[in-house]
Amino acid sequence: GAGVSQSPSNKVTEKGKDVELRCDPISGHTALYWYRQSLGQGLEFLIYFQGNSAPDKSGLPSDRFSAERTGGSVSTLTIQRTQQEDSAVYLCASSLGRFLGGSRQSGELFFGEGSRLTVL
Amino acid sequence: DAKTTQPPSMDCAEGRAANLPCNHSTISGNEYVYWYRQIHSQGPQYIIHGLKNNETNEMASLIITEDRKSSTLILPHATLRDTAVYYCIAQYGQNFVFGPGTRLSVLP
């Protein structure tokens, strides 16, 4: 498709189970971002990738959270031993990642529709 | 990245211009100002961005003060569909940090 695709769109799981959320960015976009948004709250930055590497993992809330990106394309966010406080919408975004510094940059983020995670 | 400050909420009458302010007094010379909006239950949508000059596109206009310490997003003729949370971000490089934004309610 033309946009950022995320799956599953909805996931209900039991506390303690592991979950994997998938993001398929726009073709050719080198930068990929994960955010999460709890009900009624703003966007919380989790991690971003430039290519397959993650220069900034500072937003991951705990070591139960991990993410990888392979082939400069699809990314997977894994949450181990889920807790109720992990319930949120997990949003993925991608961009061309062309930041030239000082000159006009194309930093537009394109977001997917999110994966809604509910931990019972 | 510079911290931005926005009013938590604003109302605007349908058909009138909506002027959404953003303060970014600590912005550095190479940080751009970006605006996004999030309509209920959807992913955020890019609106516009700029560095120094005022910018206009089919969605909105961005007015940046000469000292770059603040900016205003202008929706020239607000419609009910413009009701959303609007986020102002001062950013350089790859890291986009979203604050709480302004919840704009367009009233009939």
PDB file of all heavy atoms in Angstrom, chain A residues 33 35 37 43 45 48 50 56 99 101 103-105 107-109 111-112, chain B residues 32 34 36 38 42-44 46 49 55 87 91-96 98:
ATOM      1  N   TYR A  33       9.805   5.390  13.243  1.00  0.00           N
ATOM      2  CA  TYR A  33       9.589   5.807  14.626  1.00  0.00           C
ATOM      3  C   TYR A  33       8.486   4.968  15.269  1.00  0.00           C
ATOM      4  O   TYR A  33       7.501   4.604  14.603  1.00  0.00           O
ATOM      5  CB  TYR A  33       9.132   7.271  14.678  1.00  0.00           C
ATOM      6  CG  TYR A  33      10.076   8.265  14.064  1.00  0.00           C
ATOM      7  CD1 TYR A  33      10.195   8.396  12.687  1.00  0.00           C
ATOM      8  CD2 TYR A  33      10.855   9.093  14.873  1.00  0.00           C
ATOM      9  CE1 TYR A  33      11.067   9.315  12.119  1.00  0.00           C
ATOM     10  CE2 TYR A  33      11.722  10.021  14.316  1.00  0.00           C
ATOM     11  CZ  TYR A  33      11.818  10.119  12.942  1.00  0.00           C
ATOM     12  OH  TYR A  33      12.685  11.028  12.390  1.00  0.00           O
ATOM     13  N   TYR A  35       5.907   5.321  18.639  1.00  0.00           N
ATOM     14  CA  TYR A  35       5.359   6.107  19.733  1.00  0.00           C
ATOM     15  C   TYR A  35       4.271   5.280  20.397  1.00  0.00           C
ATOM     16  O   TYR A  35       3.730   4.344  19.801  1.00  0.00           O
ATOM     17  CB  TYR A  35       4.724   7.408  19.231  1.00  0.00           C
ATOM     18  CG  TYR A  35       5.669   8.408  18.623  1.00  0.00           C
ATOM     19  CD1 TYR A  35       6.036   8.339  17.284  1.00  0.00           C
ATOM     20  CD2 TYR A  35       6.183   9.454  19.389  1.00  0.00           C
ATOM     21  CE1 TYR A  35       6.895   9.269  16.721  1.00  0.00           C
ATOM     22  CE2 TYR A  35       7.042  10.398  18.835  1.00  0.00           C
ATOM     23  CZ  TYR A  35       7.384  10.296  17.503  1.00  0.00           C
ATOM     24  OH  TYR A  35       8.237  11.214  16.955  1.00  0.00           O
ATOM     25  N   GLN A  37       0.583   5.923  22.815  1.00  0.00           N
ATOM     26  CA  GLN A  37      -0.366   6.920  23.283  1.00  0.00           C
ATOM     27  C   GLN A  37      -1.391   6.223  24.167  1.00  0.00           C
ATOM     28  O   GLN A  37      -2.203   5.425  23.687  1.00  0.00           O
ATOM     29  CB  GLN A  37      -1.047   7.615  22.101  1.00  0.00           C
ATOM     30  CG  GLN A  37      -1.902   8.797  22.487  1.00  0.00           C
ATOM     31  CD  GLN A  37      -2.337   9.599  21.275  1.00  0.00           C
ATOM     32  OE1 GLN A  37      -2.570   9.065  20.204  1.00  0.00           O
ATOM     33  NE2 GLN A  37      -2.443  10.913  21.451  1.00  0.00           N
ATOM     34  N   LEU A  43       1.469  11.848  22.749  1.00  0.00           N
ATOM     35  CA  LEU A  43       2.348  10.827  22.180  1.00  0.00           C
ATOM     36  C   LEU A  43       3.633  10.727  22.973  1.00  0.00           C
ATOM     37  O   LEU A  43       4.295  11.720  23.246  1.00  0.00           O
ATOM     38  CB  LEU A  43       2.694  11.172  20.729  1.00  0.00           C
ATOM     39  CG  LEU A  43       1.673  10.783  19.673  1.00  0.00           C
ATOM     40  CD1 LEU A  43       0.498  11.723  19.686  1.00  0.00           C
ATOM     41  CD2 LEU A  43       2.314  10.746  18.301  1.00  0.00           C
ATOM     42  N   PHE A  45       7.343   9.223  22.883  1.00  0.00           N
ATOM     43  CA  PHE A  45       8.360   8.681  21.988  1.00  0.00           C
ATOM     44  C   PHE A  45       8.974   7.426  22.603  1.00  0.00           C
ATOM     45  O   PHE A  45       9.326   7.401  23.779  1.00  0.00           O
ATOM     46  CB  PHE A  45       9.437   9.736  21.749  1.00  0.00           C
ATOM     47  CG  PHE A  45      10.666   9.217  21.055  1.00  0.00           C
ATOM     48  CD1 PHE A  45      10.673   9.029  19.689  1.00  0.00           C
ATOM     49  CD2 PHE A  45      11.797   8.915  21.779  1.00  0.00           C
ATOM     50  CE1 PHE A  45      11.807   8.549  19.050  1.00  0.00           C
ATOM     51  CE2 PHE A  45      12.940   8.437  21.153  1.00  0.00           C
ATOM     52  CZ  PHE A  45      12.947   8.255  19.784  1.00  0.00           C
ATOM     53  N   TYR A  48      13.548   5.383  17.599  1.00  0.00           N
ATOM     54  CA  TYR A  48      13.512   5.556  16.158  1.00  0.00           C
ATOM     55  C   TYR A  48      14.695   4.845  15.517  1.00  0.00           C
ATOM     56  O   TYR A  48      15.721   4.622  16.147  1.00  0.00           O
ATOM     57  CB  TYR A  48      13.452   7.039  15.759  1.00  0.00           C
ATOM     58  CG  TYR A  48      14.775   7.733  15.530  1.00  0.00           C
ATOM     59  CD1 TYR A  48      15.403   7.672  14.291  1.00  0.00           C
ATOM     60  CD2 TYR A  48      15.363   8.480  16.533  1.00  0.00           C
ATOM     61  CE1 TYR A  48      16.595   8.319  14.072  1.00  0.00           C
ATOM     62  CE2 TYR A  48      16.555   9.142  16.322  1.00  0.00           C
ATOM     63  CZ  TYR A  48      17.171   9.057  15.088  1.00  0.00           C
ATOM     64  OH  TYR A  48      18.353   9.706  14.883  1.00  0.00           O
ATOM     65  N   GLN A  50      17.226   4.672  12.013  1.00  0.00           N
ATOM     66  CA  GLN A  50      17.734   5.206  10.758  1.00  0.00           C
ATOM     67  C   GLN A  50      18.329   3.999  10.036  1.00  0.00           C
ATOM     68  O   GLN A  50      19.364   3.470  10.448  1.00  0.00           O
ATOM     69  CB  GLN A  50      18.774   6.293  10.990  1.00  0.00           C
ATOM     70  CG  GLN A  50      19.366   6.863   9.720  1.00  0.00           C
ATOM     71  CD  GLN A  50      18.323   7.490   8.818  1.00  0.00           C
ATOM     72  OE1 GLN A  50      17.434   8.209   9.256  1.00  0.00           O
ATOM     73  NE2 GLN A  50      18.424   7.197   7.532  1.00  0.00           N
ATOM     74  N   ASP A  56      18.587   6.183  18.885  1.00  0.00           N
ATOM     75  CA  ASP A  56      17.969   6.709  20.096  1.00  0.00           C
ATOM     76  C   ASP A  56      16.948   5.712  20.622  1.00  0.00           C
ATOM     77  O   ASP A  56      15.861   5.564  20.069  1.00  0.00           O
ATOM     78  CB  ASP A  56      17.296   8.063  19.810  1.00  0.00           C
ATOM     79  CG  ASP A  56      16.813   8.746  21.087  1.00  0.00           C
ATOM     80  OD1 ASP A  56      16.795   8.099  22.156  1.00  0.00           O
ATOM     81  OD2 ASP A  56      16.449   9.929  21.007  1.00  0.00           O
ATOM     82  N   PHE A  99      17.681  15.051   6.547  1.00  0.00           N
ATOM     83  CA  PHE A  99      17.888  16.212   7.378  1.00  0.00           C
ATOM     84  C   PHE A  99      19.246  16.790   7.021  1.00  0.00           C
ATOM     85  O   PHE A  99      20.270  16.263   7.408  1.00  0.00           O
ATOM     86  CB  PHE A  99      17.793  15.831   8.852  1.00  0.00           C
ATOM     87  CG  PHE A  99      16.432  15.327   9.195  1.00  0.00           C
ATOM     88  CD1 PHE A  99      16.144  13.977   9.156  1.00  0.00           C
ATOM     89  CD2 PHE A  99      15.424  16.208   9.540  1.00  0.00           C
ATOM     90  CE1 PHE A  99      14.878  13.516   9.460  1.00  0.00           C
ATOM     91  CE2 PHE A  99      14.160  15.746   9.846  1.00  0.00           C
ATOM     92  CZ  PHE A  99      13.891  14.403   9.809  1.00  0.00           C
ATOM     93  N   GLY A 101      20.397  19.872   7.564  1.00  0.00           N
ATOM     94  CA  GLY A 101      20.972  20.855   8.474  1.00  0.00           C
ATOM     95  C   GLY A 101      21.159  22.202   7.835  1.00  0.00           C
ATOM     96  O   GLY A 101      22.036  22.380   7.011  1.00  0.00           O
ATOM     97  N   SER A 103      19.595  23.666   5.595  1.00  0.00           N
ATOM     98  CA  SER A 103      18.862  23.831   4.351  1.00  0.00           C
ATOM     99  C   SER A 103      17.473  23.224   4.520  1.00  0.00           C
ATOM    100  O   SER A 103      17.169  22.614   5.521  1.00  0.00           O
ATOM    101  CB  SER A 103      19.591  23.166   3.188  1.00  0.00           C
ATOM    102  OG  SER A 103      19.734  21.785   3.426  1.00  0.00           O
ATOM    103  N   ARG A 104      16.678  23.395   3.538  1.00  0.00           N
ATOM    104  CA  ARG A 104      15.301  22.936   3.664  1.00  0.00           C
ATOM    105  C   ARG A 104      15.285  21.420   3.835  1.00  0.00           C
ATOM    106  O   ARG A 104      15.930  20.701   3.101  1.00  0.00           O
ATOM    107  CB  ARG A 104      14.510  23.338   2.433  1.00  0.00           C
ATOM    108  CG  ARG A 104      13.031  23.090   2.609  1.00  0.00           C
ATOM    109  CD  ARG A 104      12.200  23.910   1.661  1.00  0.00           C
ATOM    110  NE  ARG A 104      10.798  23.807   1.975  1.00  0.00           N
ATOM    111  CZ  ARG A 104      10.194  24.521   2.908  1.00  0.00           C
ATOM    112  NH1 ARG A 104      10.869  25.405   3.593  1.00  0.00           N
ATOM    113  NH2 ARG A 104       8.920  24.372   3.161  1.00  0.00           N
ATOM    114  N   GLN A 105      14.585  20.971   4.811  1.00  0.00           N
ATOM    115  CA  GLN A 105      14.582  19.538   5.073  1.00  0.00           C
ATOM    116  C   GLN A 105      13.189  18.986   4.923  1.00  0.00           C
ATOM    117  O   GLN A 105      12.195  19.653   5.113  1.00  0.00           O
ATOM    118  CB  GLN A 105      15.126  19.237   6.464  1.00  0.00           C
ATOM    119  CG  GLN A 105      14.388  19.891   7.609  1.00  0.00           C
ATOM    120  CD  GLN A 105      15.008  19.537   8.952  1.00  0.00           C
ATOM    121  OE1 GLN A 105      15.904  18.736   9.033  1.00  0.00           O
ATOM    122  NE2 GLN A 105      14.530  20.141  10.013  1.00  0.00           N
ATOM    123  N   GLY A 107      11.193  16.653   6.646  1.00  0.00           N
ATOM    124  CA  GLY A 107      11.084  15.842   7.847  1.00  0.00           C
ATOM    125  C   GLY A 107       9.700  15.347   8.131  1.00  0.00           C
ATOM    126  O   GLY A 107       9.432  14.900   9.233  1.00  0.00           O
ATOM    127  N   GLU A 108       8.815  15.400   7.160  1.00  0.00           N
ATOM    128  CA  GLU A 108       7.436  15.025   7.415  1.00  0.00           C
ATOM    129  C   GLU A 108       7.347  13.579   7.845  1.00  0.00           C
ATOM    130  O   GLU A 108       7.903  12.691   7.198  1.00  0.00           O
ATOM    131  CB  GLU A 108       6.607  15.243   6.150  1.00  0.00           C
ATOM    132  CG  GLU A 108       5.148  14.863   6.298  1.00  0.00           C
ATOM    133  CD  GLU A 108       4.367  15.093   5.023  1.00  0.00           C
ATOM    134  OE1 GLU A 108       4.917  15.715   4.099  1.00  0.00           O
ATOM    135  OE2 GLU A 108       3.213  14.638   4.957  1.00  0.00           O
ATOM    136  N   LEU A 109       6.652  13.346   8.950  1.00  0.00           N
ATOM    137  CA  LEU A 109       6.383  11.993   9.421  1.00  0.00           C
ATOM    138  C   LEU A 109       5.037  11.537   8.892  1.00  0.00           C
ATOM    139  O   LEU A 109       4.063  12.287   8.920  1.00  0.00           O
ATOM    140  CB  LEU A 109       6.343  11.942  10.946  1.00  0.00           C
ATOM    141  CG  LEU A 109       7.588  12.320  11.722  1.00  0.00           C
ATOM    142  CD1 LEU A 109       7.368  12.079  13.208  1.00  0.00           C
ATOM    143  CD2 LEU A 109       8.789  11.541  11.242  1.00  0.00           C
ATOM    144  N   PHE A 111       2.255   8.739   9.596  1.00  0.00           N
ATOM    145  CA  PHE A 111       1.854   7.811  10.647  1.00  0.00           C
ATOM    146  C   PHE A 111       0.921   6.731  10.120  1.00  0.00           C
ATOM    147  O   PHE A 111       0.109   6.959   9.215  1.00  0.00           O
ATOM    148  CB  PHE A 111       1.119   8.563  11.770  1.00  0.00           C
ATOM    149  CG  PHE A 111       2.030   9.288  12.714  1.00  0.00           C
ATOM    150  CD1 PHE A 111       2.504  10.551  12.406  1.00  0.00           C
ATOM    151  CD2 PHE A 111       2.415   8.700  13.911  1.00  0.00           C
ATOM    152  CE1 PHE A 111       3.353  11.229  13.274  1.00  0.00           C
ATOM    153  CE2 PHE A 111       3.249   9.357  14.787  1.00  0.00           C
ATOM    154  CZ  PHE A 111       3.716  10.626  14.463  1.00  0.00           C
ATOM    155  N   GLY A 112       1.030   5.557  10.731  1.00  0.00           N
ATOM    156  CA  GLY A 112       0.053   4.524  10.536  1.00  0.00           C
ATOM    157  C   GLY A 112      -1.147   4.758  11.435  1.00  0.00           C
ATOM    158  O   GLY A 112      -1.198   5.737  12.183  1.00  0.00           O
TER     159      GLY A 112
ATOM    160  N   TYR B  32      13.812  23.467  13.210  1.00  0.00           N
ATOM    161  CA  TYR B  32      12.628  23.804  12.459  1.00  0.00           C
ATOM    162  C   TYR B  32      11.401  23.775  13.375  1.00  0.00           C
ATOM    163  O   TYR B  32      11.388  23.065  14.387  1.00  0.00           O
ATOM    164  CB  TYR B  32      12.413  22.801  11.331  1.00  0.00           C
ATOM    165  CG  TYR B  32      13.304  23.012  10.130  1.00  0.00           C
ATOM    166  CD1 TYR B  32      14.672  22.788  10.204  1.00  0.00           C
ATOM    167  CD2 TYR B  32      12.766  23.432   8.922  1.00  0.00           C
ATOM    168  CE1 TYR B  32      15.487  22.983   9.100  1.00  0.00           C
ATOM    169  CE2 TYR B  32      13.564  23.626   7.811  1.00  0.00           C
ATOM    170  CZ  TYR B  32      14.919  23.402   7.905  1.00  0.00           C
ATOM    171  OH  TYR B  32      15.716  23.605   6.809  1.00  0.00           O
ATOM    172  N   TYR B  34       7.615  22.533  13.387  1.00  0.00           N
ATOM    173  CA  TYR B  34       6.673  21.647  12.713  1.00  0.00           C
ATOM    174  C   TYR B  34       5.313  21.716  13.410  1.00  0.00           C
ATOM    175  O   TYR B  34       5.234  21.871  14.631  1.00  0.00           O
ATOM    176  CB  TYR B  34       7.139  20.183  12.791  1.00  0.00           C
ATOM    177  CG  TYR B  34       8.219  19.802  11.813  1.00  0.00           C
ATOM    178  CD1 TYR B  34       9.550  20.106  12.075  1.00  0.00           C
ATOM    179  CD2 TYR B  34       7.906  19.129  10.642  1.00  0.00           C
ATOM    180  CE1 TYR B  34      10.542  19.749  11.174  1.00  0.00           C
ATOM    181  CE2 TYR B  34       8.896  18.753   9.745  1.00  0.00           C
ATOM    182  CZ  TYR B  34      10.206  19.071  10.018  1.00  0.00           C
ATOM    183  OH  TYR B  34      11.189  18.719   9.123  1.00  0.00           O
ATOM    184  N   TYR B  36       1.697  19.420  13.550  1.00  0.00           N
ATOM    185  CA  TYR B  36       0.927  18.237  13.238  1.00  0.00           C
ATOM    186  C   TYR B  36      -0.433  18.368  13.925  1.00  0.00           C
ATOM    187  O   TYR B  36      -0.586  19.131  14.873  1.00  0.00           O
ATOM    188  CB  TYR B  36       1.604  16.960  13.773  1.00  0.00           C
ATOM    189  CG  TYR B  36       2.765  16.491  12.950  1.00  0.00           C
ATOM    190  CD1 TYR B  36       4.006  17.128  13.037  1.00  0.00           C
ATOM    191  CD2 TYR B  36       2.636  15.419  12.078  1.00  0.00           C
ATOM    192  CE1 TYR B  36       5.075  16.692  12.269  1.00  0.00           C
ATOM    193  CE2 TYR B  36       3.703  14.976  11.313  1.00  0.00           C
ATOM    194  CZ  TYR B  36       4.908  15.625  11.412  1.00  0.00           C
ATOM    195  OH  TYR B  36       5.967  15.194  10.646  1.00  0.00           O
ATOM    196  N   GLN B  38      -3.908  15.785  15.276  1.00  0.00           N
ATOM    197  CA  GLN B  38      -4.407  14.439  15.489  1.00  0.00           C
ATOM    198  C   GLN B  38      -5.908  14.514  15.699  1.00  0.00           C
ATOM    199  O   GLN B  38      -6.364  15.065  16.712  1.00  0.00           O
ATOM    200  CB  GLN B  38      -3.723  13.768  16.674  1.00  0.00           C
ATOM    201  CG  GLN B  38      -4.082  12.299  16.823  1.00  0.00           C
ATOM    202  CD  GLN B  38      -3.296  11.615  17.914  1.00  0.00           C
ATOM    203  OE1 GLN B  38      -2.829  12.251  18.858  1.00  0.00           O
ATOM    204  NE2 GLN B  38      -3.122  10.299  17.789  1.00  0.00           N
ATOM    205  N   GLN B  42      -7.159   8.798  15.245  1.00  0.00           N
ATOM    206  CA  GLN B  42      -6.326   8.607  14.053  1.00  0.00           C
ATOM    207  C   GLN B  42      -4.874   8.911  14.383  1.00  0.00           C
ATOM    208  O   GLN B  42      -4.567   9.542  15.389  1.00  0.00           O
ATOM    209  CB  GLN B  42      -6.789   9.524  12.929  1.00  0.00           C
ATOM    210  CG  GLN B  42      -8.211   9.272  12.451  1.00  0.00           C
ATOM    211  CD  GLN B  42      -8.584  10.198  11.316  1.00  0.00           C
ATOM    212  OE1 GLN B  42      -7.730  10.839  10.713  1.00  0.00           O
ATOM    213  NE2 GLN B  42      -9.864  10.277  11.015  1.00  0.00           N
ATOM    214  N   GLY B  43      -3.961   8.489  13.505  1.00  0.00           N
ATOM    215  CA  GLY B  43      -2.563   8.861  13.667  1.00  0.00           C
ATOM    216  C   GLY B  43      -2.371  10.324  13.340  1.00  0.00           C
ATOM    217  O   GLY B  43      -3.141  10.920  12.585  1.00  0.00           O
ATOM    218  N   PRO B  44      -1.358  10.971  13.915  1.00  0.00           N
ATOM    219  CA  PRO B  44      -1.112  12.386  13.625  1.00  0.00           C
ATOM    220  C   PRO B  44      -0.870  12.634  12.144  1.00  0.00           C
ATOM    221  O   PRO B  44      -0.350  11.784  11.425  1.00  0.00           O
ATOM    222  CB  PRO B  44       0.138  12.705  14.454  1.00  0.00           C
ATOM    223  CG  PRO B  44       0.096  11.727  15.576  1.00  0.00           C
ATOM    224  CD  PRO B  44      -0.470  10.474  14.960  1.00  0.00           C
ATOM    225  N   TYR B  46       0.705  15.463   9.332  1.00  0.00           N
ATOM    226  CA  TYR B  46       1.552  16.622   9.099  1.00  0.00           C
ATOM    227  C   TYR B  46       0.729  17.778   8.537  1.00  0.00           C
ATOM    228  O   TYR B  46      -0.145  17.579   7.685  1.00  0.00           O
ATOM    229  CB  TYR B  46       2.663  16.247   8.123  1.00  0.00           C
ATOM    230  CG  TYR B  46       3.423  17.403   7.524  1.00  0.00           C
ATOM    231  CD1 TYR B  46       4.498  17.969   8.207  1.00  0.00           C
ATOM    232  CD2 TYR B  46       3.087  17.911   6.280  1.00  0.00           C
ATOM    233  CE1 TYR B  46       5.224  19.015   7.650  1.00  0.00           C
ATOM    234  CE2 TYR B  46       3.801  18.960   5.730  1.00  0.00           C
ATOM    235  CZ  TYR B  46       4.868  19.502   6.411  1.00  0.00           C
ATOM    236  OH  TYR B  46       5.571  20.549   5.851  1.00  0.00           O
ATOM    237  N   HIS B  49       5.639  23.036   8.026  1.00  0.00           N
ATOM    238  CA  HIS B  49       6.826  23.327   8.824  1.00  0.00           C
ATOM    239  C   HIS B  49       7.590  24.489   8.216  1.00  0.00           C
ATOM    240  O   HIS B  49       7.385  24.833   7.029  1.00  0.00           O
ATOM    241  CB  HIS B  49       7.718  22.094   8.995  1.00  0.00           C
ATOM    242  CG  HIS B  49       8.531  21.716   7.786  1.00  0.00           C
ATOM    243  ND1 HIS B  49       7.982  21.081   6.693  1.00  0.00           N
ATOM    244  CD2 HIS B  49       9.848  21.851   7.517  1.00  0.00           C
ATOM    245  CE1 HIS B  49       8.938  20.834   5.808  1.00  0.00           C
ATOM    246  NE2 HIS B  49      10.075  21.289   6.269  1.00  0.00           N
ATOM    247  N   GLU B  55       5.329  30.406   6.011  1.00  0.00           N
ATOM    248  CA  GLU B  55       5.032  29.372   5.036  1.00  0.00           C
ATOM    249  C   GLU B  55       3.518  29.235   4.879  1.00  0.00           C
ATOM    250  O   GLU B  55       2.763  29.466   5.828  1.00  0.00           O
ATOM    251  CB  GLU B  55       5.608  28.021   5.465  1.00  0.00           C
ATOM    252  CG  GLU B  55       7.102  27.994   5.697  1.00  0.00           C
ATOM    253  CD  GLU B  55       7.892  28.027   4.401  1.00  0.00           C
ATOM    254  OE1 GLU B  55       7.314  27.799   3.317  1.00  0.00           O
ATOM    255  OE2 GLU B  55       9.122  28.280   4.477  1.00  0.00           O
ATOM    256  N   TYR B  87      -0.300  19.877  17.459  1.00  0.00           N
ATOM    257  CA  TYR B  87       1.009  19.771  18.102  1.00  0.00           C
ATOM    258  C   TYR B  87       2.018  20.662  17.389  1.00  0.00           C
ATOM    259  O   TYR B  87       2.140  20.620  16.166  1.00  0.00           O
ATOM    260  CB  TYR B  87       1.538  18.338  18.045  1.00  0.00           C
ATOM    261  CG  TYR B  87       0.686  17.306  18.728  1.00  0.00           C
ATOM    262  CD1 TYR B  87      -0.194  16.506  18.019  1.00  0.00           C
ATOM    263  CD2 TYR B  87       0.781  17.107  20.110  1.00  0.00           C
ATOM    264  CE1 TYR B  87      -0.959  15.538  18.643  1.00  0.00           C
ATOM    265  CE2 TYR B  87       0.020  16.138  20.744  1.00  0.00           C
ATOM    266  CZ  TYR B  87      -0.848  15.360  20.008  1.00  0.00           C
ATOM    267  OH  TYR B  87      -1.600  14.409  20.632  1.00  0.00           O
ATOM    268  N   GLN B  91      12.319  21.194  16.211  1.00  0.00           N
ATOM    269  CA  GLN B  91      13.073  19.961  15.984  1.00  0.00           C
ATOM    270  C   GLN B  91      14.246  20.181  15.048  1.00  0.00           C
ATOM    271  O   GLN B  91      14.175  20.931  14.092  1.00  0.00           O
ATOM    272  CB  GLN B  91      12.116  18.926  15.383  1.00  0.00           C
ATOM    273  CG  GLN B  91      12.718  17.621  14.970  1.00  0.00           C
ATOM    274  CD  GLN B  91      13.221  17.614  13.542  1.00  0.00           C
ATOM    275  OE1 GLN B  91      12.977  18.545  12.787  1.00  0.00           O
ATOM    276  NE2 GLN B  91      13.954  16.595  13.176  1.00  0.00           N
ATOM    277  N   TYR B  92      15.349  19.490  15.359  1.00  0.00           N
ATOM    278  CA  TYR B  92      16.461  19.398  14.413  1.00  0.00           C
ATOM    279  C   TYR B  92      16.908  17.951  14.365  1.00  0.00           C
ATOM    280  O   TYR B  92      17.063  17.304  15.389  1.00  0.00           O
ATOM    281  CB  TYR B  92      17.637  20.271  14.840  1.00  0.00           C
ATOM    282  CG  TYR B  92      18.831  20.079  13.949  1.00  0.00           C
ATOM    283  CD1 TYR B  92      18.872  20.654  12.685  1.00  0.00           C
ATOM    284  CD2 TYR B  92      19.891  19.270  14.342  1.00  0.00           C
ATOM    285  CE1 TYR B  92      19.954  20.458  11.844  1.00  0.00           C
ATOM    286  CE2 TYR B  92      20.972  19.068  13.503  1.00  0.00           C
ATOM    287  CZ  TYR B  92      20.998  19.664  12.257  1.00  0.00           C
ATOM    288  OH  TYR B  92      22.060  19.458  11.425  1.00  0.00           O
ATOM    289  N   GLY B  93      17.112  17.461  13.169  1.00  0.00           N
ATOM    290  CA  GLY B  93      17.560  16.086  13.070  1.00  0.00           C
ATOM    291  C   GLY B  93      16.381  15.130  13.086  1.00  0.00           C
ATOM    292  O   GLY B  93      15.300  15.450  12.625  1.00  0.00           O
ATOM    293  N   GLN B  94      16.599  13.979  13.658  1.00  0.00           N
ATOM    294  CA  GLN B  94      15.642  12.898  13.491  1.00  0.00           C
ATOM    295  C   GLN B  94      14.607  12.788  14.593  1.00  0.00           C
ATOM    296  O   GLN B  94      13.631  12.076  14.452  1.00  0.00           O
ATOM    297  CB  GLN B  94      16.390  11.562  13.398  1.00  0.00           C
ATOM    298  CG  GLN B  94      17.383  11.489  12.270  1.00  0.00           C
ATOM    299  CD  GLN B  94      16.725  11.167  10.945  1.00  0.00           C
ATOM    300  OE1 GLN B  94      15.654  11.660  10.642  1.00  0.00           O
ATOM    301  NE2 GLN B  94      17.370  10.344  10.159  1.00  0.00           N
ATOM    302  N   ASN B  95      14.847  13.426  15.729  1.00  0.00           N
ATOM    303  CA  ASN B  95      14.011  13.123  16.870  1.00  0.00           C
ATOM    304  C   ASN B  95      12.831  14.072  16.990  1.00  0.00           C
ATOM    305  O   ASN B  95      12.991  15.254  17.238  1.00  0.00           O
ATOM    306  CB  ASN B  95      14.859  13.187  18.147  1.00  0.00           C
ATOM    307  CG  ASN B  95      14.182  12.496  19.294  1.00  0.00           C
ATOM    308  OD1 ASN B  95      13.010  12.127  19.207  1.00  0.00           O
ATOM    309  ND2 ASN B  95      14.888  12.318  20.387  1.00  0.00           N
ATOM    310  N   PHE B  96      11.636  13.583  16.792  1.00  0.00           N
ATOM    311  CA  PHE B  96      10.420  14.366  16.937  1.00  0.00           C
ATOM    312  C   PHE B  96       9.785  14.054  18.289  1.00  0.00           C
ATOM    313  O   PHE B  96       9.370  12.932  18.539  1.00  0.00           O
ATOM    314  CB  PHE B  96       9.408  14.021  15.843  1.00  0.00           C
ATOM    315  CG  PHE B  96       9.753  14.577  14.499  1.00  0.00           C
ATOM    316  CD1 PHE B  96      10.688  13.962  13.690  1.00  0.00           C
ATOM    317  CD2 PHE B  96       9.133  15.730  14.040  1.00  0.00           C
ATOM    318  CE1 PHE B  96      11.003  14.482  12.445  1.00  0.00           C
ATOM    319  CE2 PHE B  96       9.437  16.250  12.790  1.00  0.00           C
ATOM    320  CZ  PHE B  96      10.370  15.625  11.989  1.00  0.00           C
ATOM    321  N   PHE B  98       6.710  15.015  20.734  1.00  0.00           N
ATOM    322  CA  PHE B  98       5.402  15.661  20.763  1.00  0.00           C
ATOM    323  C   PHE B  98       5.053  16.062  22.193  1.00  0.00           C
ATOM    324  O   PHE B  98       5.151  15.249  23.103  1.00  0.00           O
ATOM    325  CB  PHE B  98       4.325  14.716  20.240  1.00  0.00           C
ATOM    326  CG  PHE B  98       4.372  14.467  18.759  1.00  0.00           C
ATOM    327  CD1 PHE B  98       5.339  13.646  18.202  1.00  0.00           C
ATOM    328  CD2 PHE B  98       3.448  15.057  17.918  1.00  0.00           C
ATOM    329  CE1 PHE B  98       5.391  13.427  16.838  1.00  0.00           C
ATOM    330  CE2 PHE B  98       3.487  14.826  16.546  1.00  0.00           C
ATOM    331  CZ  PHE B  98       4.459  14.018  16.010  1.00  0.00           C
TER     332      PHE B  98
END
